[in-house]
Amino acid sequence: MKITSTSCICPVLVCLCFVQRCYGTAHHSSIKVTRNQTKHIEGETEVHHRPKRGWVWNQFFVLEEHMGPDPQYVGKLHSNSDKGDGSVKYILTGEGAGTIFIIDDTTGDIHSTKSLDREQKTHYVLHAQAIDRRTNKPLEPESEFIIKVQDINDNAPKFTDGPYIVTVPEMSDMGTSVLQVTATDADDPTYGNSARVVYSILQGQPYFSVDPKTGVIRTALHNMDREAREHYSVVIQAKDMAGQVGGLSGSTTVNITLTDVNDNPPRFPQKHYQLYVPESAQVGSAVGKIKANDADTGSNADMTYSIINGDGIGIFSISTDKETREGILSLKKPLNYEKKKSYTLTIEGANTHLDFRFSHLGPFKDATMLKIIVGDVDEPPLFSMPSYVMEVYENAKIGTVVGTVLAQDPDSANSLVRYFIDHSGEDDRVFNIDANSGTIRTTKVLDREETPWYNITVAASENDNPGLLSHVTVGIRVLDVNDNPPELAREYDIVVCENSKPGQVIHTISATDKDDFANGPRFNFFLDERLSINPNFTLKDNEDNTASILTRRRRFSRTIQDVYYLPIMISDGGIPSLSSSSTLTVRVCACERDGRVRTCHAEAFLSSAGLSTGALIAILLCVVILLAIVVLFITLRRSKKEPLIISEEDVRENVVTYDDEGGGEEDTEAFDITALRNPSAAEELKYRRDIRPEVKLTPRHQTLSTLESIDVQEFIKQKLAEADLDPSVPPYDSLQTYAYEGQRSEAGSISSLDSATTQSDQDYHYLGDWGPEFKKLAELYGEIESERTT
């Protein structure tokens, strides 16, 4: 069934009863609604063309916060089908049906069983239906209606954000807005004045006011001074019912703090100050403090101090301590009581952050006068200079005067001063000082080359007060005299090539001198004139503190002389000049064509100590060939081969060298070389002669057939194994060398048998292209050819 909001004429007659309480009234009234058309019920036909609802009702109202003993009557439901005989049954469903709202199913009366709160729920939606009690069939379609909870003034206004903390600048204009407060009322704002709130101030007058409607708090006085009063507590009240009698109210507290502005200038408590400073105060140290007061706070009280006048502007300075806002007076120059006993300063303190709105309250600065009294202090002696530099020549006699220091008593008493050297940390005392005059003298002979500079500390004290000391640094420079002759800069390794030419530079030498630059590096190099002219080498002074060694003749030979000695003289540029003699060692070396040194040792023919690599290889090759020939000869002889017969036509050169001390003949025959060269050539198996064989000899043909089938490598392994396992073999050592000579040499035979009879027309320079083995041979033939030409 659909609900209609308002309808006074319905097709079916219906009775609508409701109770409404308005503006505090509590009587009930019932409204009967009729309609001019009946509904088709149990086969009856409709009179009009369209059907209408049998019953319609609007909203019901129930008063909130009902506290009576009986259930509160809400309204009555009635259908035109109800004849009063109890045949109609009314049913109520929806929000709160059966718990909050109950209905009399016979009469249709609705009651509220609980006290309702509109602030929790404003209305309830329910459904009503009329059915036949006997058949349980609906007599009318189901209809929806609303029960609204009628408001009463049961909620006081509340400040949800209170208490409040707020600030406002001091000296603000009257009416300056401070804060807007808002109170809320839970009652229905659309019904009566229950939620209409007005504001008033209970505490805080006459300094502040509040707007009754908006709740805006404003200042109520001109020029409220923070320095007079800083904190205020204001109580604001909110009352509903438009402030009428009987309305409910609530209040809150607003804590208002006046913030500072720069409306107070700084002020010195006194116009004259006096300060005592001893003359012994250190430069840069703080000697006093001064402060100006400012009633403001924070940055509005910040200030800077300055010296604007006085005779001590150059002696003193002032700075500002930002934490304490004090002026710190410091000393810029040392004080001297004997020269000036007092100073006067004018000091000013001024605010750094100005507010021009309050410039009429200024000026925002203040000045005071400070008199500084200088105190007399017994001071230590004062040296005439902050440091001294003195000079003395080396090798000076003991007791030579180096210099004099001077100190005086700065006080008016002008006491006598005594001097002494502070020897702390100085083990070797080189100087002393006259206690009365301050004259410094040497106690040892000085050597500039050992120590060129000395630093000593001289102390001075008064006779009347020895505890007061003053110190000064004295630097003593040792001056140079020419007492060291020049010498070679280092040990030189000078080499001359055998194939050098006359006038060739073979080395460059230099010299050093321990003396200072004025007595040292202007060296002259020359040969000793007392000696005869050197035929091999000469010396050239390059006039740049170096000299060159040159050759005088062509070619040198290591075989003739491999080392030469060249005496030289070196003089320095000092006054008087000093000189020294040295001897240079020149070695003769073999060099390549490009001048690189190959070897510097003297070589003798067939001497292993001086042979080149190529010569050694050739000699070893010849020895191996000769050993092979000897072994072959002995083997063939023992195997009874055809004797080695050299015919008269066979011309050959044989060189046999016997230098093996081995184990003797028995050791030589211990191993048959024939079997190694060709197993098939061995006639019979050989046995050691130093022991008796324990096996029987095999026939010759059996041995030959066995040897023919044995591989050489396997044969050698077998023999080695037998030798290793034989416990009766003496510890003989036998060395057998086998070398392969190769096919042929590219250079051909070097035998003298096939060489030409004349040697004068031969050019031996091609030997140098055969390799390093033939370089020595080329040089030898080259020297012979050169000597013949010469």
Side-chain angles (χ1 to χ4, degrees):
M1 172 184 286
K2 184 177 180 181
I3 297 177
T4 58
S5 59
T6 56
S7 180
C8 296
I9 301 175
C10 299
V12 180
L13 187 61
V14 77
C15 210
L16 178 61
C17 298
F18 62 93
V19 176
Q20 182 176 8
R21 183 175 182 179
C22 300
Y23 300 101
T25 60
H27 62 277
H28 300 278
S29 60
S30 62
I31 299 176
K32 183 177 182 180
V33 181
T34 60
R35 62 179 183 175
N36 55 8
Q37 185 175 352
T38 60
K39 182 178 176 62
H40 176 68
I41 301 176
E42 295 182 358
E44 294 183 359
T45 60
E46 295 285 344
V47 178
H48 296 287
H49 297 286
R50 59 178 183 174
K52 297 293 182 177
R53 292 182 179 146
W55 57 345
V56 176
W57 38 67
N58 290 329
Q59 296 179 352
F60 288 154
F61 293 90
V62 59
L63 191 65
E64 71 168 335
E65 304 292 345
H66 177 69
M67 303 301 294
D70 299 326
Q72 184 180 3
Y73 181 72
V74 178
K76 184 179 181 64
L77 300 180
H78 185 71
S79 175
N80 56 358
S81 300
D82 189 358
K83 303 302 183 181
D85 55 359
S87 60
V88 177
K89 181 179 181 181
Y90 297 96
I91 298 174
L92 186 64
T93 59
E95 295 179 339
T99 56
I100 300 176
F101 303 102
I102 58 175
I103 188 171
D104 189 332
D105 60 354
T106 301
T107 63
D109 294 329
I110 301 174
H111 289 81
S112 174
T113 62
K114 295 183 180 180
S115 176
L116 304 180
D117 188 356
R118 189 203 67 84
E119 285 70 38
Q120 294 183 357
K121 190 172 181 62
T122 59
H123 65 279
Y124 297 85
V125 179
L126 294 98
H127 299 272
Q129 191 175 22
I131 62 174
D132 191 326
R133 191 181 296 273
R134 294 186 300 273
T135 63
N136 287 330
K137 292 183 178 181
L139 301 177
E140 297 288 346
E142 184 180 82
S143 178
E144 181 181 277
F145 66 96
I146 296 174
I147 299 177
K148 296 190 67 175
V149 182
Q150 187 175 353
D151 182 52
I152 63 173
N153 189 18
D154 58 343
N155 290 279
K158 294 182 179 180
F159 293 92
T160 57
D161 297 332
Y164 301 87
I165 298 175
V166 68
T167 60
V168 62
E170 66 171 335
M171 309 301 290
S172 297
D173 295 333
M174 185 177 67
T176 300
S177 177
V178 178
L179 177 69
Q180 182 179 14
V181 295
T182 303
T184 58
D185 195 320
D187 292 326
D188 190 359
T190 62
Y191 179 74
N193 294 326
S194 297
R196 185 179 175 185
V197 178
V198 294
Y199 301 93
S200 62
I201 185 168
L202 300 181
Q203 179 181 323
Q205 295 175 334
Y207 307 103
F208 299 95
S209 63
V210 64
D211 189 297
K213 294 182 179 180
T214 62
V216 176
I217 302 173
R218 302 179 185 275
T219 58
L221 293 179
H222 287 285
N223 301 330
M224 298 175 66
D225 192 2
R226 185 199 65 83
E227 288 72 32
R229 182 177 177 182
E230 185 176 4
H231 301 286
Y232 296 85
S233 180
V234 179
V235 178
I236 303 298
Q237 183 189 64
K239 190 174 183 180
D240 60 9
M241 297 299 293
Q244 297 177 5
V245 178
L248 302 178
S249 63
S251 63
T252 187
T253 301
V254 181
N255 295 312
I256 302 174
T257 301
L258 298 182
T259 58
D260 185 63
V261 297
N262 192 8
D263 58 340
N264 293 279
R267 291 290 181 263
F268 285 102
Q270 300 175 212
K271 291 300 181 182
H272 295 87
Y273 291 89
Q274 186 169 307
L275 180 65
Y276 174 83
V277 179
E279 63 174 338
S280 60
Q282 298 295 322
V283 175
S285 62
V287 296
K289 298 180 181 180
I290 193 169
K291 184 177 182 181
N293 298 326
D294 195 322
D296 296 321
T297 61
S299 61
N300 296 317
D302 290 343
M303 66 184 73
T304 56
Y305 296 90
S306 60
I307 300 175
I308 61 176
N309 200 358
D311 56 358
I313 293 180
I315 306 299
F316 299 92
S317 64
I318 193 169
S319 60
T320 305
D321 188 335
K322 297 189 177 191
E323 297 294 332
T324 62
R325 297 188 177 92
E326 293 177 326
I328 309 299
L329 195 67
S330 301
L331 187 63
K332 292 174 59 178
K333 295 181 179 180
L335 300 176
N336 193 333
Y337 173 81
E338 287 71 28
K339 292 183 179 180
K340 192 172 180 59
K341 296 179 175 57
S342 66
Y343 295 91
T344 302
L345 300 175
T346 301
I347 299 176
E348 181 184 77
N351 281 142
T352 56
H353 305 286
L354 300 179
D355 193 338
F356 295 102
R357 296 177 301 169
F358 309 103
S359 58
H360 61 282
L361 301 175
F364 286 83
K365 59 184 178 180
D366 194 19
T368 187
M369 184 173 292
L370 175 63
K371 184 177 181 180
I372 300 174
I373 305 299
V374 180
D376 186 19
V377 177
D378 191 6
E379 301 173 272
L382 181 64
F383 283 95
S384 59
M385 297 178 63
S387 62
Y388 294 86
V389 176
M390 301 177 183
E391 295 178 343
V392 62
Y393 280 98
E394 65 174 332
N395 301 329
K397 296 181 180 180
I398 296 176
T400 300
V401 175
V402 179
T404 302
V405 297
L406 178 63
Q408 293 181 346
D409 182 10
D411 299 322
S412 57
N414 196 13
S415 301
L416 294 178
V417 178
R418 296 184 62 83
Y419 306 92
F420 60 92
I421 296 177
D422 186 1
H423 290 289
S424 58
E426 182 184 355
D427 297 333
D428 189 9
R429 301 187 179 186
V430 183
F431 305 95
N432 61 11
I433 190 171
D434 189 282
N436 297 319
S437 64
T439 301
I440 302 174
R441 300 176 185 271
T442 61
T443 60
K444 293 184 179 181
V445 177
L446 306 180
D447 186 1
R448 189 202 67 85
E449 287 71 37
E450 181 179 352
T451 307
W453 189 275
Y454 291 90
N455 287 316
I456 62 174
T457 301
V458 177
S461 65
E462 299 178 8
N463 286 342
D464 299 337
N465 190 358
L468 291 177
L469 297 176
S470 59
H471 298 80
V472 70
T473 301
V474 180
I476 301 175
R477 181 187 295 112
V478 182
L479 301 179
D480 182 54
V481 296
N482 193 16
D483 58 346
N484 290 280
E487 57 186 13
L488 290 175
R490 57 184 175 86
E491 292 290 336
Y492 288 98
D493 183 16
I494 303 176
V495 173
V496 60
C497 294
E498 290 181 319
N499 57 356
S500 61
K501 299 177 181 179
Q504 182 177 351
V505 177
I506 61 175
H507 209 86
T508 300
I509 62 174
S510 61
T512 60
D513 197 323
K514 295 180 180 179
D515 291 323
D516 199 2
F517 182 82
N519 296 315
R522 284 181 294 173
F523 303 121
N524 296 319
F525 300 85
F526 53 91
L527 297 177
D528 193 348
E529 298 177 354
R530 296 171 297 180
L531 302 177
S532 60
I533 298 176
N534 192 313
N536 302 309
F537 304 97
T538 186
L539 182 68
K540 178 186 176 183
D541 192 343
N542 297 326
E543 298 182 355
D544 59 352
N545 295 328
T546 63
S548 299
I549 309 298
L550 292 82
T551 59
R552 279 184 177 271
R553 67 182 180 88
R554 182 188 303 274
R555 305 189 65 84
F556 293 84
S557 176
R558 291 176 294 163
T559 59
I560 299 175
Q561 184 175 351
D562 60 347
V563 176
Y564 292 88
Y565 299 98
L566 180 63
I568 64 171
M569 301 290 293
I570 309 173
S571 64
D572 59 19
I575 300 175
S577 177
L578 296 180
S579 62
S580 65
S581 62
S582 300
T583 301
L584 298 176
T585 302
V586 183
R587 295 186 299 140
V588 181
C589 298
C591 303
E592 303 289 349
R593 290 183 180 181
D594 56 1
R596 292 181 299 170
V597 176
R598 187 170 71 245
T599 179
C600 293
H601 296 287
E603 297 180 355
F605 190 67
L606 294 180
S607 175
S608 61
L611 290 178
S612 63
T613 305
L616 289 174
I617 294 176
I619 293 174
L620 291 176
L621 184 61
C622 293
V623 171
V624 170
I625 293 174
L626 292 175
L627 289 176
I629 293 174
V630 171
V631 172
L632 179 61
F633 174 77
I634 295 174
T635 303
L636 293 176
R637 185 176 179 179
R638 294 185 60 183
S639 59
K640 296 181 180 181
K641 295 286 184 178
E642 60 182 25
L644 182 60
I645 301 176
I646 301 174
S647 64
E648 296 180 357
E649 292 80 6
D650 188 5
V651 181
R652 65 183 66 184
E653 294 177 354
N654 296 324
V655 179
V656 180
T657 302
Y658 299 94
D659 56 354
D660 186 5
E661 296 182 0
E665 293 181 356
E666 292 182 355
D667 183 61
T668 303
E669 296 177 357
F671 193 87
D672 192 358
I673 194 64
T674 305
L676 289 178
R677 295 177 60 85
N678 187 3
S680 62
E683 296 180 357
E684 59 184 3
L685 294 176
K686 302 293 183 180
Y687 292 92
R688 295 288 296 269
R689 295 181 180 181
D690 54 345
I691 60 174
R692 177 175 295 178
E694 297 179 357
V695 296
K696 296 181 180 181
L697 296 176
T698 58
R700 179 180 179 87
H701 62 87
Q702 185 179 356
T703 304
L704 292 176
S705 62
T706 303
L707 292 174
E708 290 177 357
S709 62
I710 297 177
D711 183 73
V712 175
Q713 183 178 4
E714 295 296 331
F715 182 79
I716 292 175
K717 290 182 179 180
Q718 180 180 355
K719 292 300 181 180
L720 290 176
E722 292 176 359
D724 292 337
L725 298 176
D726 192 351
S728 61
V729 177
Y732 296 130
D733 293 333
S734 176
L735 175 63
Q736 302 293 339
T737 303
Y738 304 94
Y740 178 64
E741 189 175 8
Q743 298 292 332
R744 57 184 292 275
S745 174
E746 294 181 359
S749 175
I750 61 173
S751 173
S752 61
L753 299 178
D754 297 332
S755 59
T757 57
T758 61
Q759 299 178 357
S760 60
D761 57 350
Q762 293 291 329
D763 184 7
Y764 297 100
H765 288 89
Y766 64 88
L767 295 176
D769 299 332
W770 286 4
E773 296 82 359
F774 297 94
K775 284 188 177 182
K776 181 61 181 177
L777 187 61
E779 292 175 359
L780 293 175
Y781 278 97
E783 291 180 359
I784 296 172
E785 183 66 24
S786 177
E787 292 175 358
R788 287 180 180 178
T789 304
T790 304

